[in-house]
Amino acid sequence: MNTKIYRLDGYIRTGKLTTEDLEKLAEAAAILAGGGLVAFPTETVYGLGGNALSPEAAAKIYAAKGRPSDNPLIVHIASMEELEPLVSAVPEGAARLAARYWPGPMTMIFPKSGIVPDETTGGLSTVAVRYPSHPAANALIRMAGVPVAAPSANRSGRPSTTKAAHCVEDLDGRVDAIIDGGDSDIGLESTIIDVTGTHPQLLRPGAVTLEMIEETLHDKVTEDAALLGPLGAEVRPKAPGMKYRHYAPKAPMILVTGEDENRVAEEMLRQILKKKEEGRKTALICSGACLERIRQLSGNSIEEDTVIRSIADREAQEQWAHELFESLREMDETDAEFIIAEGCSEQQLGRAIMNRMKKAAAWQIIEV
Ligand code: TXA
Ligand code: MG
């Protein structure tokens, strides 16, 4: 299959869709309406879209991603009117959260209506719905005239894609088109919240934080078991996708966490030296401040045989989120056999960052 690339030059340059951009989006929308697959930008990560009401399109999405078909897809809409036909009820909490955070980086679970095929929901009686805020995503969905099912636009098991080049890496030749809208703003997938029960439950942390949801609903949000630790065979996460070892770079990774940055740096250096003794090439993912400290502690001796990827400082959570998946993807381009990464606080957006990092590390965590 020849994958068409539509680059939204005007949007990338100015942040606004131009007439030319809209023409390209109209072509891409026609592909979706005709049953094809289109990767497109959203404010969280890129999505791999298909007609959410078509079982055949869902099957194509699973095939293109190499994803198990029991893992349900998120259905994307471009107006509140599109919600009603997809769901059999709107819980009160969902209405409140929608009023506050839609369009935006939040997905909610609803009991599904008859028009959503089982193929889209992996056989579940519920459907996950998101109304993204990205103008290109909105225009695309509106022009397609159908709700758009879209998982993250990566091959199954790889980190989500936050730029079109990542989508090309993973999906070239496997989808009909890729829309290049520049970098994803947020860089982490949407928050998934289930408000169908008596208390709201967080299934996946994201940029709409647990704290923000608690404040809006005046209720305590519980976290699904998949967020709290490695899952035993007997525990089933509510979001089926959370059971997979996602976001994983090819090399094994260890996460070092702790409030005291000096102690974290010391431990990271200890780990580097240990791997060095074993003759293993290591890579480091850490904040600029931590890297500085490691350099000082080691007398600059780690440079020549360590792959170094520094990301934003700990306080700059948004920047950290923005760079995380790219830094994990970059690791696969290197010859590093082992990755040592710094963790951050789990407050606010940090909860989402750490969730992705813990999964990338397969829960190998050293707390200092
Ligand atoms: O930011 C995002 O959410 C991106 C963009 C493209 O919108 N999409 C995304 O989709 O991350 P995906 O498929 O990579 O992750 C969707 C997650 C999976 O863990 C899946 O199991 C869960 O949502 N999910 C989907 N439908 C569900 C449902 N009905 N009940 C519980 N979990 C569901
Ligand atoms: Mg995904």
Side-chain angles (χ1 to χ4, degrees):
M1 180 189 291
N2 187 16
T3 301
K4 228 174 150 162
I5 312 282
Y6 296 107
R7 204 180 123 93
L8 306 178
D9 294 301
Y11 181 78
I12 292 171
R13 228 182 23 251
T14 66
K16 291 223 166 66
L17 294 171
T18 59
T19 315
E20 262 176 41
D21 293 338
L22 285 167
E23 280 164 11
K24 292 175 184 168
L25 286 166
E27 268 188 44
I31 295 175
L32 284 176
L37 301 188
V38 177
F40 63 98
T42 86
E43 70 277 22
T44 56
V45 298
Y46 274 71
L48 166 54
N51 179 354
L53 304 182
S54 153
E56 293 78 25
K60 280 195 207 171
I61 291 176
Y62 290 120
K65 265 186 83 90
R67 171 173 183 156
S69 59
D70 68 342
N71 190 359
L73 308 174
I74 294 176
V75 178
H76 295 70
I77 55 176
S79 72
M80 281 311 282
E81 289 74 61
E82 276 182 86
L83 176 65
E84 219 127 281
L86 299 172
V87 306
S88 63
V90 178
E92 200 228 317
R96 286 181 39 195
L97 288 172
R100 182 92 184 254
Y101 299 114
W102 271 0
M106 177 184 71
T107 297
M108 289 191 284
I109 308 295
F110 297 88
K112 85 174 186 71
S113 74
I115 69 164
V116 183
D118 283 341
E119 285 78 0
T120 299
T121 63
L124 296 179
S125 59
T126 53
V127 59
V129 183
R130 177 158 104 85
Y131 178 177
S133 65
H134 196 294
N138 278 324
L140 179 74
I141 299 164
R142 221 173 316 113
M143 290 194 274
V146 289
V148 174
S152 48
N154 52 283
R155 289 291 289 275
S156 196
R158 297 210 73 202
S160 296
T161 48
T162 56
K163 46 178 63 184
H166 299 161
C167 300
V168 173
E169 239 171 67
D170 280 22
L171 299 172
D172 193 25
R174 307 177 71 87
V175 298
D176 297 286
I178 295 171
I179 300 172
D180 182 354
D183 283 11
S184 298
D185 243 5
I186 295 170
L188 299 178
E189 308 86 346
S190 62
T191 306
I192 305 181
I193 181 90
D194 181 353
V195 283
T196 58
T198 33
H199 293 290
Q201 191 174 35
L202 187 68
L203 308 191
R204 182 174 73 183
V208 171
T209 64
L210 178 142
E211 291 86 346
M212 289 155 75
I213 295 169
E214 287 191 333
E215 195 207 295
T216 306
L217 298 181
H218 306 292
D219 197 356
K220 190 156 171 47
V221 173
T222 58
E223 290 181 86
D224 186 54
L227 307 183
L228 303 176
L231 289 172
E234 70 289 354
V235 190
R236 284 170 115 233
K238 262 218 180 144
M242 298 298 273
K243 70 174 172 273
Y244 299 107
R245 183 178 173 239
H246 262 158
Y247 321 112
K250 288 176 193 142
M253 173 166 144
I254 271 195
L255 191 57
V256 181
T257 67
E259 255 176 50
D260 184 331
E261 297 193 16
N262 276 333
R263 289 182 52 193
V264 169
E266 277 164 24
E267 180 59 28
M268 290 180 79
L269 179 59
R270 216 173 64 79
Q271 292 295 328
I272 296 170
L273 297 177
K274 197 166 116 198
K275 295 294 168 211
K276 211 167 163 179
E277 253 168 46
E278 295 167 8
R280 299 225 268 166
K281 175 118 185 170
T282 52
L284 204 54
I285 302 181
C286 65
S287 63
C290 179
L291 178 59
E292 227 13 74
R293 187 75 191 124
I294 293 173
R295 280 185 170 138
Q296 280 169 7
L297 288 168
S298 68
N300 287 329
S301 71
I302 58 159
E303 306 296 326
E304 75 237 37
D305 45 11
T306 308
V307 175
I308 293 173
R309 173 62 156 96
S310 77
I311 50 180
D313 278 332
R314 283 191 188 195
E315 304 73 48
Q317 284 191 331
E318 285 174 8
Q319 189 57 29
W320 192 312
H322 185 77
E323 291 179 60
L324 180 63
F325 285 148
E326 180 164 34
S327 70
L328 293 179
R329 272 181 179 264
E330 275 177 26
M331 291 296 135
D332 287 349
E333 308 298 313
T334 72
D335 56 353
E337 297 164 87
F338 203 88
I339 303 165
I340 299 162
E342 179 189 5
C344 62
S345 131
E346 296 195 45
Q347 304 298 306
Q348 311 279 356
L349 185 58
R351 188 185 306 273
I353 296 170
M354 282 295 281
N355 169 258
R356 306 319 189 263
M357 292 189 91
K358 285 173 180 174
K359 288 176 72 174
W363 296 88
Q364 297 302 302
I365 304 165
I366 301 177
E367 279 193 58
V368 295

